[in-house]
Amino acid sequence: MDGFSVLVDPTRRAIADLLRRGESDVGGLVRELELPQPLVSKHLRILREAGAVEAEVTGKRRVYRLSDCPFPDVLAWMLPYAERWRASFDRLSTVLQEEDR
């Protein structure tokens, strides 16, 4: 499943956002999202199979973390837009600096 298909679901986006802040076990995600554990586990499996999330067994817990590059196809698609925005902001900054002189 590609990154766009993974991110289309709001629950998976919410899980990715939580894991972006730090690793968590299923119980922590269930508490944060206020969703049933089977549903959170289902979405974690999808994220794991897509390579967006990694899991490590620590004692009796499975701890999840966001992969180093969780959505490479989304990033590759987004970069040209970010570069365009950056260039626009650079031009705006130059104009504003010239007006301050």
Side-chain angles (χ1 to χ4, degrees), residues 4 71-86:
F4 294 98
F71 307 105
D73 49 347
V74 175
L75 180 61
W77 179 81
M78 194 68 201
L79 275 175
Y81 294 95
E83 290 169 3
R84 181 178 174 150
W85 296 329
R86 189 172 322 128

Side-chain angles (χ1 to χ4, degrees), residues 9-53:
D9 186 278
T11 301
R12 290 193 289 268
R13 287 194 310 268
I15 290 171
D17 283 342
L18 289 171
L19 293 177
R20 182 175 42 88
R21 294 185 219 150
E23 59 185 33
S24 179
D25 63 5
V26 175
L29 294 169
V30 165
R31 283 188 298 279
E32 286 285 331
L33 297 168
E34 299 179 349
L35 293 172
Q37 183 272 326
L39 182 63
V40 172
S41 292
K42 172 191 147 196
H43 287 294
L44 281 168
R45 179 181 49 79
I46 293 168
L47 286 161
R48 206 173 53 246
E49 288 174 356
V53 166

Side-chain angles (χ1 to χ4, degrees), residues 57-92:
V57 176
T58 305
K60 293 183 178 184
R61 299 179 335 144
R62 185 171 291 204
V63 178
Y64 294 88
R65 73 181 58 79
L66 206 56
S67 300
D68 289 337
C69 188
F71 307 105
D73 49 347
V74 175
L75 180 61
W77 179 81
M78 194 68 201
L79 275 175
Y81 294 95
E83 290 169 3
R84 181 178 174 150
W85 296 329
R86 189 172 322 128
S88 294
F89 286 130
D90 289 345
R91 286 191 302 275
L92 177 61

